[in-house]
């Protein structure tokens, strides 16, 4: 993780532009209903793609966004060498799905509580 601290100004700049990119990503799905589960899932995909880091190579202390690491590692070294970054991407997707499920559960409990009143 010392790679993150060493390049902190660049990570702050990346986070700023990634937030702008996420705002644009959300605008891509204007045609879906704001309450749509599909829209929420697609927004979660955008968050995972933009904000999930991965080491630049297996065991490295230097990180980069996984959407950059994965294709370049595949092109340079092949798919077997890139499987470590797939693990980072899949773990980000799993966390995103769990967050979506918890959010849906909270929304369901709220709707059920409002119907009882």
């Amino acid at each position: 993780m010392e790679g993150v601290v060493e390049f902190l100004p660049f990570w702050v700049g990346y986070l700023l532009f990634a937030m702008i990119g996420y705002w644009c990503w959300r605008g891509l799905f204007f045609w879906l209903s704001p309450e749509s589960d599909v829209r929420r899932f697609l927004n979660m995909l955008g968050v995972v793609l933009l904000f999930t880091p991965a080491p630049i190579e297996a065991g490295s202390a230097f990180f980069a966004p996984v959407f950059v690491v994965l294709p370049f590692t595949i092109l340079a070294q092949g798919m077997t060498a890139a499987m470590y970054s797939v693990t980072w991407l899949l773990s980000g997707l799993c966390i995103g799905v769990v967050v979506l499920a918890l959010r849906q559960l909270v929304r369901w409990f709220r709707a059920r509580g409002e119907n009882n009143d």
Side-chain angles (χ1 to χ4, degrees):
M1 287 300 272
E2 64 266 6
V4 173
V5 176
E6 185 177 340
F7 297 106
L8 188 62
F10 299 103
W11 276 108
V12 170
Y14 175 76
L15 288 176
L16 174 70
F17 287 108
M19 289 190 310
I20 293 170
Y22 177 65
W23 176 72
C24 293
W25 177 274
R26 287 178 51 108
L28 288 173
F29 307 108
F30 67 91
W31 47 276
L32 291 172
S33 168
E35 298 300 317
S36 169
D37 291 332
V38 174
R39 186 173 182 169
R40 287 189 189 100
F41 181 77
L42 291 172
N43 285 337
M44 183 270 302
L45 283 178
V47 168
V48 169
L49 284 174
L50 289 172
F51 295 105
T52 302
I56 58 173
E57 58 185 25
S60 176
F62 298 101
F63 286 78
V66 74
F67 79 90
V68 173
V69 172
L70 182 61
F72 283 109
T73 306
I74 290 172
L75 288 173
Q77 300 172 358
M79 187 61 190
T80 55
M83 288 308 290
Y84 75 92
S85 60
V86 172
T87 304
W88 282 80
L89 182 61
L90 289 177
S91 63
L93 286 171
C94 288
I95 291 170
V97 167
V98 167
V99 168
L100 279 179
L102 290 174
R103 184 175 179 201
Q104 190 69 18
L105 186 65
V106 167
R107 292 180 71 237
W108 181 73
F109 278 129
R110 283 186 184 167
R112 189 171 175 199
E114 289 174 3
N115 289 339
N116 288 341
D117 290 339

